[in-house]
Amino acid sequence: MIPPQEASARRREIEDKLKKEEETLSFIRDSLEKSDQLTKNMVSILSSFESRLMKLENSIIPVHKQTENLQRLQDNVEKTLSCLDHVISYYHVASDTEKIIKEGPTGRLEEYLGSMAKIQKAVEYFQDNSPDSPELNKVKLLFERGKESLESEFRSLMTRHSKVVSPVLILDLISGYDDLEVQEDVALEHLPEGVLQDVIRISRWLVEYGRNQDFMNVYYQIRSSQLDRSIKGLKEHFRKSSSSSGVPYSPAIPNKRKDTPTKKPVKRPGTIRKAQNLLKQYSQHGLDGKKGGSNLIPLEGRDDMLDVETDAYIHCVSAFVKLAQSEYQLLTDIIPEHHQKKTFDSLIQDALDGLMLEGENIVSAARKAIIRHDFSTVLTIFPILRHLKQTKPEFDQVLQGTAASTKNKLPSLITSMETIGAKALEDFADNIKNDPDKEYNMPKDGTVHELTSNAILFLQQLLDFQETAGAMLASQETSSSATSYSSEFSKRLLSTYICKVLGNLQLNLLSKSKVYEDPALSAIFLHNNYNYILKSLEKSELILLVAVTQKTAERSYREHIEQQIQTYQRSWLKVTDYITEKNLPVLQPGVKLRDKERQIIKERFKGFNDGLEDLCKIQKAWAIPDTEQRDKIRQAQKTIVKETYGAFLHRYGSVPFTKNPEKYIKYRVEQVGEMIDRLFDTSA
């Protein structure tokens, strides 16, 4: 049972809790009432706002739609106005651009092309939209006038600024330098850069908008004239230089240099001049020949102008290649690609035809020279032909894409030159063989015949042009092996040819030697000519070329020379036979001479004296130009005669065969030697 104090306390505690719960309940009721009131108020406000929004929407949406329509109308108006302005602008193009077109494009190309673009658009507009409009005719006429002005400006720029290339610059362009690894390219500025850009712009406009190709004809005509004049100017430069200090550098003979032609011209002997210099060297060694009866025109008489013309032509060929290459580079910037080859073909025709015509004239001159046996003139073909062959690969490269007739011009000229060259070689050999024996033209002193010197001089030229001459000979071969001949084949042909010429020369000399009535003079003549041939072959290295097909040629000539010396020495037998022991009486010591014996001794002395005097008088006027050979022959003859005469004098000089010994013993042994030493010496 719970005590009364605890029960009372428990009840008070419960009552306090109940009281607090009631207060909380009362607070919640009050809060709910306030919330209900607030909800009612909010619902009322929202209802009112919804009503107002509905009213606003009903009033704003029509306004928005109306505004949108107005904006669209405004855009359409603006577009219409813009189109009208654009269309109206076409009607003003003629008046706006007429002044510019009338004044022309000079100095204002950019502005001018801009005006032409406006006119072009106006033409297109009226053609598409109003083909019957009078404005179309206006802009069309203006466009045509503008196009003509551009064509005229193109011609004017090309004419005013296209300059002839100076000969000095061309020579620099075609010359080489010592340092082959670092070569300086000589640039040609055919047109100033600004002018070039204007020309390019005009040409592109004419092609794209002008639908005009006439400017290409203008271009090639102007540039063709400049190319032709440049090459002719170089040729004229050579002619003027021929009277000054030598001939400028020539690519025909490799001659590397650093100086430009204006600084230090390179003097180069011409085709024949080199051999003439060799001939002068030989004459200093006593190998010179005198003019004799040859129907060949002497090579020494050749005019220096032939060398100048040859060098000039060779330079012009090289100049054409380099200038044509440069012209093609310029052309590719100005002329449309599909017209470049045809325009270039037309551009180079005049200059190329001029070169080919000059080449054919050289061939024609050579043909006439062959008829009159002037083989020195024919020799001009050799350096020219060699240079044409060396230049042909560059020629072919430059002429790529041109017409077949253009490409075939150089090969045709080369063929003509090879044919006439081979004809010259053949005729020269025949002339050497058939040169007539003219007694009145034979050298009276038995020296070297002009036929010999001319023949050797001609052959010496072939040393510088071995491949060219060999190719000439090979080109005339009909055998299958000759169709693709090698250098060795050509060399053998040339060696065979030289041997043929030397053989013909030897036969002709033998025939000519018979003109002399004195066999000794005939022997001296043959000796001099054979010796001249041999020494010339050795000094000019022709002997090496001869040896290709004739190994024993040198030995053969030496045998011929020795044989003629022996023939000459037999002329002295009529002198020495008088005093040889076999023809003298045998004397007994202490026995008085009989009249017959004294008479024989007198006759021997007289015969020797008369024979010695006659031979010395005759042979003194003969000539042996080669000092070495002259001394050798004199010494050999002096030894024989002195020994024979000395023995005779020793045996009979003290014999009393006459009362007047000085009448018969006219010469001492030393005097005889001195007389022989004066043989072959016309100055003594």
Side-chain angles (χ1 to χ4, degrees):
M1 188 169 173
I2 301 172
Q5 292 87 350
E6 293 181 3
S8 178
R10 181 75 178 268
R11 190 174 55 190
R12 282 195 298 277
E13 182 179 355
I14 292 170
E15 287 176 352
D16 289 340
K17 287 183 179 181
L18 181 63
K19 186 178 179 179
K20 289 180 179 180
E21 292 292 334
E22 286 176 350
E23 290 176 354
T24 301
L25 181 63
S26 176
F27 176 76
I28 291 171
R29 283 178 183 160
D30 290 341
S31 296
L32 287 173
E33 288 176 358
K34 290 179 180 180
S35 178
D36 288 340
Q37 185 63 39
L38 289 172
T39 300
K40 289 178 182 178
N41 291 338
M42 180 60 70
V43 170
S44 176
I45 291 170
L46 289 174
S47 297
S48 175
F49 184 70
E50 181 180 9
S51 175
R52 290 179 180 180
L53 283 175
M54 289 290 290
K55 291 179 181 179
L56 181 63
E57 181 178 359
N58 291 333
S59 61
I60 289 300
I61 286 176
V63 173
H64 174 72
K65 289 181 178 180
Q66 188 178 4
T67 302
E68 203 173 46
N69 291 333
L70 289 173
Q71 183 67 41
R72 188 179 300 109
L73 289 173
Q74 183 180 357
D75 290 343
N76 290 336
V77 169
E78 289 178 354
K79 288 180 179 179
T80 301
L81 290 174
S82 177
C83 289
L84 286 173
D85 288 340
H86 182 68
V87 170
I88 291 172
S89 69
Y90 288 127
Y91 286 86
H92 293 294
V93 164
S95 58
D96 291 344
T97 60
E98 186 174 10
K99 182 180 179 182
I100 296 174
I101 300 303
K102 184 178 180 180
E103 292 175 352
T106 303
R108 56 194 298 182
L109 182 62
E110 193 69 31
E111 181 184 5
Y112 194 89
L113 291 178
S115 296
M116 289 299 293
K118 293 178 182 178
I119 297 171
Q120 173 71 14
K121 289 179 180 178
V123 170
E124 293 173 354
Y125 171 79
F126 287 120
Q127 284 178 336
D128 293 340
N129 299 281
S130 184
D132 298 328
S133 171
E135 290 297 326
L136 176 60
N137 292 330
K138 287 183 181 179
V139 291
K140 269 188 174 182
L141 289 173
L142 197 59
F143 182 82
E144 290 300 321
R145 185 189 304 173
K147 185 172 73 170
E148 290 174 1
S149 295
L150 283 172
E151 293 170 358
S152 177
E153 179 70 3
F154 182 90
R155 179 188 293 274
S156 176
L157 289 174
M158 290 299 302
T159 302
R160 284 188 288 115
H161 297 282
S162 290
K163 305 296 182 184
V164 173
V165 184
S166 70
V168 171
L169 188 56
I170 295 175
L171 289 171
D172 281 337
L173 187 67
I174 63 180
S175 62
Y177 295 88
D178 287 334
D179 189 353
L180 297 178
E181 295 181 357
V182 184
Q183 289 195 4
E184 300 178 12
D185 291 332
V186 180
L188 290 180
E189 186 182 67
H190 294 292
L191 298 172
E193 183 60 30
V195 174
L196 176 61
Q197 294 305 317
D198 286 351
V199 168
I200 291 173
R201 292 205 63 186
I202 293 174
S203 69
R204 289 178 179 173
W205 189 93
L206 290 173
V207 170
E208 185 174 356
Y209 302 108
R211 305 294 190 271
N212 187 347
Q213 297 181 8
D214 291 342
F215 78 94
M216 299 181 197
N217 296 332
V218 171
Y219 176 85
Y220 91 71
Q221 289 168 1
I222 293 173
R223 294 308 306 170
S224 175
S225 174
Q226 299 304 323
L227 174 61
D228 191 41
R229 289 170 60 195
S230 296
I231 293 176
K232 288 178 178 176
L234 177 63
K235 184 177 180 181
E236 186 62 27
H237 173 74
F238 269 83
R239 288 176 176 170
K240 292 179 180 178
S241 299
S242 64
S243 58
S244 60
S245 57
V247 181
Y249 164 78
S250 171
I253 303 281
N255 195 345
K256 299 169 188 173
R257 64 184 179 87
K258 289 184 179 178
D259 300 302
T260 62
T262 54
K263 294 179 181 177
K264 191 176 182 181
V266 179
K267 189 173 182 179
R268 185 184 69 81
T271 308
I272 304 301
R273 200 60 48 215
K274 180 177 179 182
Q276 288 181 339
N277 290 338
L278 286 173
L279 188 62
K280 289 177 182 178
Q281 294 174 12
Y282 300 162
S283 66
Q284 293 171 3
H285 292 84
L287 292 181
D288 196 10
K290 296 183 180 178
K291 291 185 178 180
S294 171
N295 68 338
L296 299 174
I297 292 178
L299 298 182
E300 295 89 336
R302 183 178 184 269
D303 193 344
D304 286 341
M305 282 305 296
L306 282 176
D307 288 335
V308 175
E309 293 295 331
T310 298
D311 280 345
Y313 186 72
I314 287 171
H315 277 85
C316 289
V317 170
S318 295
F320 172 81
V321 173
K322 293 298 182 183
L323 292 177
Q325 289 173 343
S326 181
E327 287 291 345
Y328 189 76
Q329 292 173 358
L330 176 66
L331 178 143
T332 54
D333 292 330
I334 299 174
I335 304 300
E337 183 176 359
H338 54 288
H339 293 286
Q340 288 173 3
K341 294 295 185 181
K342 182 179 179 181
T343 304
F344 179 70
D345 197 344
S346 300
L347 189 156
I348 62 174
Q349 284 303 315
D350 286 349
L352 181 59
D353 286 345
L355 283 178
M356 296 301 108
L357 177 60
E358 191 172 349
E360 290 297 338
N361 288 339
I362 291 171
V363 172
S364 178
R367 188 175 290 110
K368 294 176 182 177
I370 291 174
I371 295 174
R372 64 178 185 269
H373 303 150
D374 180 10
F375 294 98
S376 62
T377 301
V378 180
L379 284 170
T380 59
I381 284 183
F382 284 73
I384 293 174
L385 178 57
R386 179 175 66 181
H387 188 66
L388 289 179
K389 284 189 168 185
Q390 290 172 346
T391 313
K392 187 176 181 298
E394 287 185 271
F395 243 102
D396 292 342
Q397 186 176 7
V398 169
L399 300 182
Q400 278 184 354
T402 57
S405 58
T406 303
K407 293 178 183 177
N408 291 333
K409 287 180 179 179
L410 180 64
S412 177
L413 178 59
I414 288 176
T415 300
S416 295
M417 287 195 170
E418 280 191 332
T419 302
I420 199 65
K423 172 68 173 171
L425 292 175
E426 179 185 351
D427 280 27
F428 181 80
D430 290 342
N431 274 275
I432 293 296
K433 180 179 180 181
N434 300 318
D435 186 70
D437 302 324
K438 297 179 181 178
E439 183 176 355
Y440 58 88
N441 275 329
M442 291 292 288
K444 306 300 183 182
D445 57 1
T447 191
V448 177
H449 198 281
E450 189 181 20
L451 176 69
T452 303
S453 60
N454 279 348
I456 294 299
L457 192 56
F458 184 89
L459 294 180
Q460 283 166 356
Q461 310 315 303
L462 305 185
L463 284 176
D464 283 337
F465 307 103
Q466 293 183 40
E467 291 186 8
T468 304
M472 286 177 178
L473 296 169
S475 67
Q476 304 305 305
E477 291 290 316
T478 56
S479 62
S480 58
S481 61
T483 57
S484 57
Y485 52 86
S486 64
S487 59
E488 185 62 30
F489 177 75
S490 299
K491 190 173 184 179
R492 291 189 65 83
L493 282 178
L494 183 57
S495 176
T496 302
Y497 172 77
I498 292 174
C499 292
K500 176 183 178 181
V501 172
L502 293 175
N504 289 350
L505 177 60
Q506 186 173 342
L507 290 173
N508 200 314
L509 290 173
L510 281 170
S511 176
K512 289 182 185 302
S513 68
K514 297 175 182 178
V515 171
Y516 296 110
E517 295 180 0
D518 191 333
L521 181 55
S522 177
I524 291 297
F525 171 77
L526 290 175
H527 164 274
N528 285 332
N529 282 272
Y530 291 157
N531 184 62
Y532 178 87
I533 294 171
L534 177 60
K535 292 295 179 66
S536 299
L537 292 179
E538 291 174 337
K539 288 182 179 294
S540 64
E541 298 182 0
L542 269 172
I543 195 68
L544 298 177
L545 198 51
V546 170
V548 172
T549 53
Q550 260 195 34
K551 305 293 185 184
T552 62
E554 184 175 0
R555 185 180 68 188
S556 176
Y557 273 110
R558 294 192 187 282
E559 290 174 353
H560 288 318
I561 291 169
E562 189 59 35
Q563 181 181 352
Q564 298 310 317
I565 292 175
Q566 293 174 7
T567 301
Y568 162 74
Q569 287 175 341
R570 285 197 287 271
S571 69
W572 281 85
L573 291 178
K574 61 183 179 181
V575 177
T576 56
D577 276 352
Y578 282 105
I579 56 175
T580 53
E581 189 174 350
K582 63 179 181 178
N583 295 325
L584 295 174
V586 179
L587 303 180
Q588 299 296 327
V591 178
K592 186 179 180 180
L593 293 176
R594 291 176 294 175
D595 291 341
K596 183 179 180 181
E597 291 173 336
R598 283 196 297 269
Q599 187 61 32
I600 291 175
I601 295 173
K602 288 178 182 180
E603 290 175 358
R604 296 296 182 263
F605 269 108
K606 187 177 185 306
F608 173 79
N609 292 335
D610 292 345
L612 176 66
E613 291 168 357
D614 289 344
L615 277 185
C616 288
K617 181 180 179 181
I618 293 171
Q619 295 184 8
K620 178 183 175 182
W622 298 352
I624 299 180
D626 188 335
T627 305
E628 181 182 347
Q629 286 291 311
R630 183 168 64 239
D631 291 343
K632 174 184 174 183
I633 292 173
R634 282 174 177 171
Q635 187 59 42
Q637 200 58 53
K638 186 167 62 172
T639 300
I640 296 172
V641 176
K642 282 177 67 177
E643 287 180 357
T644 307
Y645 181 64
F648 175 73
L649 194 60
H650 176 73
R651 184 169 182 180
Y652 297 102
S654 57
V655 173
F657 64 91
T658 181
K659 293 180 180 180
N660 301 309
E662 64 278 359
K663 179 180 178 181
Y664 298 98
I665 307 177
K666 297 174 63 174
Y667 304 105
R668 300 190 309 274
V669 175
E670 292 73 16
Q671 286 179 306
V672 172
E674 291 171 0
M675 292 173 70
I676 295 175
D677 280 336
R678 289 193 291 271
L679 297 178
F680 317 116
D681 188 359
T682 56
S683 63

